[in-house]
Amino acid sequence: MNFSGLINDFGPLTVSGLAQGAIIALFALGYTLVYGVLRLINFAHSEVFLLGTYACLIAWGWFGLDQNSAAPAVGAMLGYMALGLVAAIVISGVAALGVELVAYRPLRRRNAPPLAFLITAIGASLAISETVGVLTHRNQRGVPPIIEARTVITIGNTHITNLQILIVALALVMMFVLDRFINGSRLGRGIRAVAQNPDSAALMGVNKSRVIALVFLLGGLMAGIAAVMYDLKIGVTKYDAGFLLGIDAFTAAVLGGIGNLRGALVGGLLLGVLQAYAAGLFGSQWLHAAAFVLLVLILLFRPTGLLGESLGRARA
């Protein structure tokens, strides 16, 4: 164990962990939204994220951008960023809705048992993942350098880049927007009503199917944004990226209190930092193993998570 390395690199590891945690938090919102309303672990959400990572790459490729391209000027960079976000959001949102309509809605109409939903979720995840693997020949793809990482703040040996600031700021902004939507809009009230008591909500005129579709759509939109940030931060993507980061996102959702939106944000940021410390202490090969160990510990000792409120009862 490299304690001296952890102490010496404490600042850089913390900053890097916060940036990674912000991506995980956006990803985790899809898990926590669906669970908060349906009490369902949507394992196919990791593949919704995966499709978003490839959607932005394909959109950038239409303009001749690849991993060997030069970093664009500021104006072009903003345009490419907007293009990538739109492509990822649209594809991830459509994919999330497709999973709900094709895989889950027929089961709800038949009042299928929870085990049927679980098996269907795993099947949908494998089907999408293997399809992407076949189409991409299971090769990783490089990401165009849309944003050239530059140090903007230096504190001792800690260098904070523009990309890290963008990732964390975007996650906080999207969390705030989603929080306001859930709390302040009519559709948000419908989501909270269905999460708290779907039968009573239906008696009050809330369209349960429409609310569930909206929840999947919102989760897909957040996954699309996380996918673009992931591509820009990591620099490569491959067909199993959704599975690996999906474990982290699910752990973050459970850590914060699955079904609690603010819990997903707290859990994601905390997990990212803990993973960075684990990588500094044990080596980068233990990055995802640390998330799995933490997930087991949470389920054993505090299954309700840190905040532990469901979507129907929580303010967020």
Side-chain angles (χ1 to χ4, degrees):
M1 291 186 291
N2 187 11
F3 286 103
S4 61
L6 175 61
I7 295 173
N8 293 333
D9 296 332
F10 185 81
L13 289 173
T14 301
V15 173
S16 177
L18 286 174
Q20 181 70 7
I23 297 173
I24 294 173
L26 284 175
F27 193 168
L29 288 173
Y31 285 114
T32 207
L33 276 169
V34 172
Y35 183 85
V37 173
L38 291 178
R39 297 298 184 270
L40 165 69
I41 304 299
N42 179 25
F43 288 108
H45 185 61
S46 59
E47 276 56 54
V48 170
F49 167 86
L50 175 64
L51 293 174
T53 63
Y54 280 100
C56 61
L57 289 183
I58 293 172
W60 290 329
W62 289 343
F63 290 85
L65 298 176
D66 58 27
Q67 67 270 27
N68 298 317
S69 300
V74 175
M77 180 268 290
L78 294 176
Y80 290 139
M81 275 292 298
L83 174 66
L85 286 170
V86 169
I89 286 172
V90 169
I91 296 302
S92 293
V94 171
L97 278 177
V99 169
E100 196 279 321
L101 291 173
V102 175
Y104 299 136
R105 184 166 295 189
L107 295 178
R108 291 205 317 274
R109 289 175 176 171
R110 292 173 172 81
N111 293 320
L115 181 60
F117 284 90
L118 177 62
I119 295 173
T120 301
I122 296 174
S125 174
L126 290 174
I128 298 174
S129 176
E130 289 304 307
T131 300
V132 173
V134 170
L135 294 176
T136 61
H137 305 289
R138 292 176 168 78
N139 295 325
Q140 69 178 24
R141 293 187 57 179
V143 177
I146 303 298
I147 299 178
E148 183 179 0
R150 297 178 179 177
T151 300
V152 294
I153 301 175
T154 300
I155 304 174
N157 69 333
T158 303
H159 303 281
I160 305 175
T161 67
N162 52 350
L163 181 57
Q164 291 170 332
I165 294 174
L166 173 64
I167 291 172
V168 175
L170 185 59
L172 293 176
V173 168
M174 295 311 302
M175 183 66 231
F176 176 78
V177 170
L178 186 60
D179 180 272
R180 290 298 88 208
F181 177 80
I182 296 294
N183 276 308
S185 69
R186 182 178 179 181
L187 292 174
R189 289 194 298 271
I191 292 174
R192 287 185 284 125
V194 173
Q196 187 170 14
N197 193 317
D199 295 330
S200 297
L203 292 175
M204 297 298 293
V206 177
N207 189 320
K208 181 180 176 181
S209 295
R210 186 179 300 172
V211 166
I212 292 173
L214 176 62
V215 165
F216 274 85
L217 176 62
L218 290 174
L221 299 182
M222 297 299 110
I225 297 172
V228 177
M229 296 299 103
Y230 173 85
D231 279 349
L232 294 176
K233 182 178 185 297
I234 303 301
V236 295
T237 191
K238 51 185 178 179
Y239 83 102
D240 62 348
F243 171 76
L244 294 174
L245 201 66
I247 296 176
D248 297 343
F250 179 66
T251 302
V254 175
L255 175 61
I258 190 164
N260 188 308
L261 296 185
R262 293 176 183 174
L265 177 65
V266 173
L269 294 175
L270 182 58
L271 176 63
V273 173
L274 292 176
Q275 281 187 313
Y277 293 161
L281 187 61
F282 301 107
S284 59
Q285 67 271 21
W286 291 93
L287 189 69
H288 297 289
F292 182 76
V293 171
L294 181 60
L295 175 61
V296 173
L297 293 175
I298 296 166
L299 293 176
L300 283 174
F301 299 105
R302 192 175 175 82
T304 58
L306 296 176
L307 302 186
E309 291 185 358
S310 68
L311 185 64
R313 294 193 303 271
R315 291 186 178 273

